[in-house]
């Protein structure tokens, strides 16, 4: 599916955005297209039973956990006495490779299955993220399953949330096969998997703005966002959730009209409308603040708290025209000093981390809340080799190089660099437990 978007980076209110304009003009069309470009997921054979979207499955929430092989308290305290900055490090070569592949995992989405689609340069699979001052263990599926026993994890956001969830499912499936128990919406944008071995569930909620929004269409070429109202497609189920993973950002770069207090606040790139042009950074901040405050208010009033992780913005790596061969041609990670985190990528990350810290202060007034930013922006920035590129579709060059080749330089191949996001995710959960 192709979408035409006219210069969505024109932002007269922010000089930073003006600086970014020349190299982003040709990037937004594929971003918008890829956020909307979905095809059904294939699953490991299981009996999928549809149930009402708001109906809980059989789980016991907020359980106390026990670890048969857990270290003594002193050793555990020692392991985490100095919190690790997982965002500071480098990619190192690793011949062990990923936990899974395209044949052992049945939940890889069509557009992320790079190996099956003919990508032959598999060197991108043999790198691991190494933090500068601490160790990042390999993902341990049994440990993850033990931590989420009797719990419900909800991934909420855009296609990057879905990408991270798909990676996690593939990694866990090496120890326990997930059963698809629910699907709903276009391209199954609302789905749930259950792990009978641990009575645990992982859900996907499509919500690209987190707040209430109306997505653009052929008849309306802009999104509509209501910045002071959380998206009830996931908000109404919050009492069923034990841990929420939020991931969003790319959709805020698109043309949109913003509402607050039932009035138009302004818009981003809407030349045909008589609205004030405003930048998307403040809008991103408002949307995340509304989301985190709503979670705290709704769960804090009941005194039972909740765990929340915000996965930070992940940069794209378009280097050429999105519909030509070679749009994301790199086959190795950037070295640490080869690429700086700056401009739009740095600003988006900054907003998200600041709002998580603000939410922590608010949550301290209520019950048990744990909030954390899963800071992967720099990790992602250094991996231009990890995107599907033309291999979002099967064997794109089997008949030679065509004039037009659809490229995905936004999402991540599975397996691929995004698996490291979930290694850090597990370490955060281990620290909390």
């Amino acid at each position: 599916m192709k979408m035409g978007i006219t210069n969505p980076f024109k932002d007269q209110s922010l000089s930073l955005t003006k600086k970014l304009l020349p190299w982003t003009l040709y990037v937004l069309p594929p971003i918008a297209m890829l956020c909307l470009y979905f095809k059904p997921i294939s699953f490991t054979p299981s009996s999928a039973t549809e149930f009402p979207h708001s109906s809980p499955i059989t789980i016991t929430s907020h359980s106390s956990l026990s670890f048969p092989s857990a270290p003594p308290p002193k050793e555990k305290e020692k392991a985490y006495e100095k919190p690790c900055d997982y965002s500071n490090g480098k990619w190192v070569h690793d011949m062990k490779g990923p936990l899974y592949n395209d044949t052992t995992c049945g939940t890889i989405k069509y557009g992320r299955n790079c190996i099956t689609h003919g990508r032959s340069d598999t060197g991108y699979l043999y790198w691991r993220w190494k933090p500068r001052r601490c160790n990042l263990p390999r993902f341990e599926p049994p440990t993850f399953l033990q931590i989420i026993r009797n719990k419900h994890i909800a991934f909420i956001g855009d296609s990057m949330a879905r990408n991270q969830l798909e990676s996690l499912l593939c990694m866990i499936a090496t120890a326990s096969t997930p059963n698809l128990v629910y699907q709903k919406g276009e391209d199954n944008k609302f789905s749930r998997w259950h792990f009978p071995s641990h009575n645990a569930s992982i859900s996907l909620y499509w919500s690209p703005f987190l707040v209430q929004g109306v997505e653009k269409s052929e008849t309306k070429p802009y999104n509509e966002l209501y910045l002071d109202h959380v998206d009830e497609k996931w908000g109404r189920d919050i009492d069923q959730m034990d841990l929420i993973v939020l991931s969003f950002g790319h959709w805020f770069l698109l043309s949109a009209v913003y509402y607050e207090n039932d009035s138009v606040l302004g818009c981003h790139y809407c030349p045909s409308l008589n609205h004030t042009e405003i930048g998307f950074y403040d809008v991103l901040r408002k949307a995340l603040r509304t989301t985190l405050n709503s979670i705290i208010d709704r769960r804090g009033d009941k005194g039972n708290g909740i765990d929340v992780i915000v996965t930070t913005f992940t940069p794209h790596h378009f280097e050429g025209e999105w519909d030509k061969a070679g749009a994301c041609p790199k086959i190795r990670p950037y070295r640490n000093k080869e690429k700086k985190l700056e401009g739009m990528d740095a600003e988006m990350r900054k907003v998200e981390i600041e709002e998580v810290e603000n939410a922590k202060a608010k949550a301290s007034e209520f019950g048990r809340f744990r909030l954390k930013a899963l800071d992967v922006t720099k990790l992602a920035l250094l991996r231009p080799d990890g995107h599907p590129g033309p291999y979002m579709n099967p064997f794109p060059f089997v008949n030679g190089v065509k004039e037009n080749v659809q490229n995905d330089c936004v999402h991540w191949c599975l397996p691929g660099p995004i698996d490291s996001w979930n290694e850090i995710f597990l370490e955060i959960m281990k620290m909390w437990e």
Side-chain angles (χ1 to χ4, degrees), residues 51-57 59 61-62 151-154 192 203 205 236-243 299 306:
F51 54 85
H53 190 49
S54 297
S55 300
I57 61 170
I59 58 176
S61 301
H62 319 296
K151 290 191 174 187
H152 177 202
I153 298 177
R192 185 172 297 179
S203 294
Y205 290 82
R236 65 175 177 242
D237 288 351
I238 194 170
D239 285 341
Q240 302 173 25
M241 302 171 184
D242 297 282
L243 190 154
R299 292 297 289 261
I306 196 170

Side-chain angles (χ1 to χ4, degrees), residues 41 59 64 78 179 205 314:
I41 304 175
I59 58 176
S64 59
K78 183 177 180 181
N179 292 332
Y205 290 82
T314 54

Side-chain angles (χ1 to χ4, degrees), residues 254-265:
L254 308 179
S255 177
V257 176
Y258 311 121
Y259 296 86
E260 194 171 38
N261 297 321
D262 297 323
S263 300
V264 175
L265 178 67

Side-chain angles (χ1 to χ4, degrees), residues 295-311:
I295 293 171
I296 294 169
D297 290 341
R298 296 187 186 195
R299 292 297 289 261
D301 287 345
K302 299 181 179 180
N304 54 8
I306 196 170
D307 296 333
V308 181
I309 287 177
V310 178
T311 303

